[in-house]
C-alpha cells in the first residue's frame, strides 16, 4: 500500500482547537491516511480556524497560500470557528475546496470522497442551534502534556464575544468519557493534562444532551484526581463566578492538580464589566484571588484582560490598571478589543481610538512583566518540581514548575519528559529561572 493519501493539519487559535485537530487527525489515520507535517507535500490540507484573533481572515489566506505552494493540486478544507461564522468568505478564498461548520468538522472524512479541486469551495455549515451534541477530544502534541477537552460552547452572552455563535450552546462530555480519555492519555507516558473547553467551570451542563446538571466541575476535578498514572492536572481558564471555594480548597490538597489558575477578569471597572455583560463584579474577583492566596500562597494566578472596550474612558482604564497593580497576581494576558460582527459591543457608542487602545495595551503588558518578575522573585530559594519539555533551545532545556515558573538548565536529552525536584536559585537575563537539582540524577 504505497499510495496512501497524505494529510496535513494547521491549527489557528486556542488549546481547544488543538485538541480538536488531534481528534480529527486520528479519524483520518483510522481511515488509512498518513499524517505529515504541514511543511510537507500532502494530498489534503486541513486548516482549523479561529474567530477570536484579529486578522483571522488574513492568517487563513496565508496558510492556504502556503499549502498551495507546496501542492497546487492539494485538496484544502477549512473547519472550526471562523468556518462556522463566515463560511462563504472562506469558501471564496482561492484554493479552498471545502468549508465545514461546527457540527460537520468531526465528520470531515465523510466529505472527502472525491479529492478533485473545486472551482468554488463547497460549504456545509449548520445553523449554530444544531450544534447541540458533544464530541470529545484530546490532543497529544508534544510528549509532556496533553489538552483534554471536557466542555464545548457557551451560554453566556458577553457583548464582545462571537464564541456562542461559532460553537453553540454549553454542553459537556460525560464524566465516564472524560475519565476514559484521561486514562488513555496516562497510558501514553504523558505527565501533564490540561483541562480545556470554552467555559469549563460550566462543566456538567448538557452532559446528556439536556440542560440538566448531572455532575459539577467540582465533581469532575475530584474524579480526575483519582485517575492513576497522571502526574499533573492543570485547569486552563475558568470564569471567576464558576471557580468555587470548594474547588480551590480541593486543589490545594490534591494529589495531581497544580497550584495554577488562569481566571479571566476582562476589566477592573464594574461599569465596563456590566457593559460587557460579565457575570460578576470586581469584588468577586478579589475574593477568588484572596481565597487562592490563603490556601496556596505560592500559586500562580494568570489574568485575561481586554483594553479599549467601547466606552472605556481613561478613568475606567486607570481603575483596571490600579486594580491589577494592587492585586496579588502573577501575569496578564492582554487583549486589545477588536470589533466583531454580530456582537452587541460592535454597535456601542464610545469607540476608543486605535492608538489609545495600543497605548493601554502596552501599559498593561509592562505591568505583566513587572508582576511575573515579582512572582518569580518570590519563588527563589523554594523547592519545586519541574517537568522538562522536549526542545533544545540554544543549548538549554526548559520546563515548568507546578506553579508555572519557567526554568532552564543546560540541555540534556535524558531530562525530556521527566519530573525532578529542584531548588530555584536565580532569575536569568532572559527572565527564566535557573535551578539546582535536589537529587543527583543518573
Amino acid at each position: 500500500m504505497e499510495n496512501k493519501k497524505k494529510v496535513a493539519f494547521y491549527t489557528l487559535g486556542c488549546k481547544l482547537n488543538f485538541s480538536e485537530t488531534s481528534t480529527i487527525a486520528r479519524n483520518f489515520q483510522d481511515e488509512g491516511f498518513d499524517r505529515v507535517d504541514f511543511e510537507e507535500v500532502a494530498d489534503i490540507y486541513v486548516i482549523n480556524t479561529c474567530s477570536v484573533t484579529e486578522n483571522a481572515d488574513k492568517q487563513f489566506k496565508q496558510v492556504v497560500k502556503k499549502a498551495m505552494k507546496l501542492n497546487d493540486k492539494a485538496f484544502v478544507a477549512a473547519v472550526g470557528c471562523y468556518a462556522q461564522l463566515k463560511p462563504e468568505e472562506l469558501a471564496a478564498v482561492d484554493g479552498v475546496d471545502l468549508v465545514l461548520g461546527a457540527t460537520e468538522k468531526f465528520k470531515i472524512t465523510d466529505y472527502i470522497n472525491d479529492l478533485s479541486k473545486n472551482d468554488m469551495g463547497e460549504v456545509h455549515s449548520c445553523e449554530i442551534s444544531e450544534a447541540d451534541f458533544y464530541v470529545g477530544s484530546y490532543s497529544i502534541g508534544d510528549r509532556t502534556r496533553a489538552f483534554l477537552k471536557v466542555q464545548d460552547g457557551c451560554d453566556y452572552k458577553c457583548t464582545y464575544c462571537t464564541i456562542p455563535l461559532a460553537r453553540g450552546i454549553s454542553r459537556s462530555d460525560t464524566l465516564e468519557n472524560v475519565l476514559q480519555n484521561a486514562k488513555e492519555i496516562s497510558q501514553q507516558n504523558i505527565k501533564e493534562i490540561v483541562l480545556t473547553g470554552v467555559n469549563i467551570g460550566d462543566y456538567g451542563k448538557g452532559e446528556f444532551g439536556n440542560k440538566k446538571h448531572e455532575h459539577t466541575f467540582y465533581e469532575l476535578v475530584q474524579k480526575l484526581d483519582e485517575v492513576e498514572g497522571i502526574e499533573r492536572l492543570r485547569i486552563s481558564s475558568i470564569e471567576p463566578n464558576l471557580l468555587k471555594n470548594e474547588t480551590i480548597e480541593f486543589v490545594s490538597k490534591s494529589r495531581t492538580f497544580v497550584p495554577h489558575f488562569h481566571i479571566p477578569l476582562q476589566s477592573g471597572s464594574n461599569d465596563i464589566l456590566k457593559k460587557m455583560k460579565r457575570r460578576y463584579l470586581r469584588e468577586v474577583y478579589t475574593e477568588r484571588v484572596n481565597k487562592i492566596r490563603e490556601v496556596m500562597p505560592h500559586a500562580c494566578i494568570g489574568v485575561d484582560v481586554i483594553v479599549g472596550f467601547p466606552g472605556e474612558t481613561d478613568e475606567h482604564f486607570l481603575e483596571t490598571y490600579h486594580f491589577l497593580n494592587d492585586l496579588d497576581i502573577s501575569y496578564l494576558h492582554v487583549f486589545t478589543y477588536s470589533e466583531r460582527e454580530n456582537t452587541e459591543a460592535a454597535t456601542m457608542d464610545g469607540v476608543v481610538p486605535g492608538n489609545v487602545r495600543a497605548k493601554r495595551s502596552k501599559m498593561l503588558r509592562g505591568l505583566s512583566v513587572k508582576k511575573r518578575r515579582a512572582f518569580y522573585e518570590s519563588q527563589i530559594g523554594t523547592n519545586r518540581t519541574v517537568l522538562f519539555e522536549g526542545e533544545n533551545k540554544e543549548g538549554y532545556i526548559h520546563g515548568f514548575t507546578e506553579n508555572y515558573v519557567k526554568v532552564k538548565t543546560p540541555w540534556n536529552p535524558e531530562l525530556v519528559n521527566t519530573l525532578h525536584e529542584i531548588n530555584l536559585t536565580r532569575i536569568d537575563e532572559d527572565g527564566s529561572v535557573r535551578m539546582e537539582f535536589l537529587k543527583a540524577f543518573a
Side-chain angles (χ1 to χ4, degrees):
M1 275 276 304
E2 268 310 285
N3 58 351
K4 268 184 158 185
K5 293 274 188 222
K6 292 184 173 147
V7 61
F9 297 87
Y10 198 99
T11 306
L12 296 158
C14 64
K15 292 172 179 159
L16 186 55
N17 272 2
F18 278 94
S19 73
E20 292 183 343
T21 299
S22 277
T23 297
I24 294 168
R26 284 194 290 275
N27 295 346
F28 269 99
Q29 284 163 311
D30 293 346
E31 301 266 340
F33 287 86
D34 259 342
R35 181 177 182 174
V36 298
D37 198 70
F38 203 84
E39 313 295 325
E40 295 177 42
V41 174
D43 302 289
I44 305 171
Y45 292 95
V46 179
I47 304 164
N48 195 350
T49 62
C50 169
S51 68
V52 174
T53 47
E54 191 54 285
N55 308 331
D57 49 341
K58 206 158 85 197
Q59 283 180 307
F60 176 74
K61 284 176 183 151
Q62 284 164 348
V63 178
V64 174
K65 215 180 242 164
K66 194 166 156 187
M68 292 285 85
K69 227 183 222 150
L70 289 161
N71 177 7
D72 60 359
K73 294 185 177 55
F75 189 88
V76 176
V79 299
C81 291
Y82 207 67
Q84 174 65 34
L85 288 174
K86 300 275 177 79
E88 270 70 27
E89 219 170 275
L90 293 191
V93 171
D94 212 20
V96 175
D97 301 294
L98 179 66
V99 178
L100 296 181
T103 56
E104 314 302 323
K105 62 187 168 194
F106 295 106
K107 303 188 284 218
I108 180 168
T109 50
D110 301 351
Y111 289 101
I112 299 189
N113 320 333
D114 162 29
L115 286 183
S116 53
K117 298 286 291 170
N118 297 323
D119 293 338
M120 174 73 188
E122 253 183 78
V123 173
H124 298 272
S125 77
C126 58
E127 285 303 311
I128 195 62
S129 56
E130 292 167 28
D132 57 1
F133 55 87
Y134 185 85
V135 177
S137 49
Y138 60 85
S139 83
I140 295 180
D142 59 28
R143 290 183 300 175
T144 47
R145 68 170 62 84
F147 299 117
L148 171 59
K149 172 181 162 186
V150 299
Q151 182 275 343
D152 199 350
C154 189
D155 291 340
Y156 286 7
K157 300 283 186 283
C158 301
T159 53
Y160 51 81
C161 185
T162 55
I163 299 251
L165 301 172
R167 283 188 171 269
I169 57 171
S170 176
R171 54 213 188 272
S172 309
D173 205 349
T174 62
L175 190 58
E176 193 183 20
N177 214 15
V178 173
L179 296 174
Q180 183 52 42
N181 283 343
K183 283 190 187 99
E184 282 176 28
I185 294 169
S186 72
Q187 285 155 7
Q188 306 195 37
N189 192 27
I190 285 170
K191 304 280 195 273
E192 181 177 308
I193 293 178
V194 182
L195 301 186
T196 162
V198 173
N199 186 357
I200 62 173
D202 207 22
Y203 175 81
K205 189 187 277 181
E207 190 183 342
F208 300 100
N210 52 26
K211 284 292 170 203
K212 207 164 77 213
H213 255 289
E214 283 291 309
H215 299 101
T216 61
F217 182 70
Y218 177 51
E219 286 172 303
L220 172 73
V221 165
Q222 288 174 300
K223 286 280 181 246
L224 279 168
D225 199 43
E226 295 166 10
V227 176
E228 280 178 31
I230 300 171
E231 302 277 352
R232 279 184 178 182
L233 282 154
R234 208 178 281 279
I235 298 168
S236 63
S237 178
I238 183 163
E239 294 283 303
N241 49 310
L242 295 173
L243 177 57
K244 302 285 190 258
N245 283 345
E246 56 187 10
T247 304
I248 295 170
E249 281 177 7
F250 183 81
V251 167
S252 74
K253 303 184 185 76
S254 147
R255 181 180 69 86
T256 51
F257 276 91
V258 294
H260 176 205
F261 295 88
H262 194 92
I263 314 168
L265 167 69
Q266 311 312 16
S267 175
S269 155
N270 281 342
D271 293 348
I272 298 294
L273 287 172
K274 287 173 189 164
K275 287 188 78 173
M276 290 176 163
K277 292 197 176 159
R278 302 290 286 156
R279 299 197 174 195
Y280 53 87
L281 296 174
R282 57 187 253 168
E283 290 73 14
V284 169
Y285 200 91
T286 308
E287 278 169 27
R288 292 299 174 270
V289 170
N290 292 345
K291 179 68 188 172
I292 294 168
R293 287 279 166 248
E294 178 198 321
V295 295
M296 287 171 275
H298 60 295
C300 181
I301 304 174
V303 183
D304 285 341
V305 61
I306 295 172
V307 296
F309 188 79
E312 184 186 62
T313 61
D314 285 344
E315 288 74 25
H316 290 133
F317 172 69
L318 286 173
E319 228 184 311
T320 296
Y321 187 91
H322 293 308
F323 179 69
L324 288 165
N325 194 27
D326 296 342
L327 209 56
D328 192 356
I329 53 148
S330 318
Y331 64 90
L332 305 172
H333 280 174
V334 183
F335 299 90
T336 306
Y337 171 74
S338 65
E339 284 73 7
R340 289 280 172 271
E341 262 179 64
N342 301 324
T343 58
E344 220 181 302
T347 59
M348 286 181 181
D349 297 337
V351 173
V352 178
N355 59 336
V356 177
R357 294 184 206 186
K359 186 177 148 199
R360 289 176 185 172
S361 166
K362 196 173 169 185
M363 278 177 72
L364 283 183
R365 291 204 166 98
L367 180 62
S368 180
V369 170
K370 194 177 100 176
K371 286 282 183 187
R372 193 184 298 264
R373 177 93 194 186
F375 174 61
Y376 280 10
E377 279 172 358
S378 74
Q379 297 303 301
I380 298 299
T382 60
N383 295 344
R384 296 281 168 240
T385 305
V386 65
L387 172 58
F388 285 109
E389 305 196 340
E391 218 181 322
N392 181 347
K393 287 186 184 159
E394 295 167 8
Y396 287 93
I397 185 168
H398 291 81
F400 284 94
T401 62
E402 66 275 37
N403 61 340
Y404 215 56
V405 173
K406 188 178 187 178
V407 304
K408 69 188 265 194
T409 197
W411 170 256
N412 175 345
E414 287 169 27
L415 291 174
V416 172
N417 196 29
T418 59
L419 286 145
H420 293 273
E421 289 179 26
I422 57 160
N423 179 269
L424 302 175
T425 55
R426 63 183 170 87
I427 300 180
D428 207 45
E429 301 76 83
D430 66 359
S432 54
V433 177
R434 302 301 289 263
M435 43 147 281
E436 285 168 357
F437 290 98
L438 290 177
K439 297 188 191 87
F441 68 94

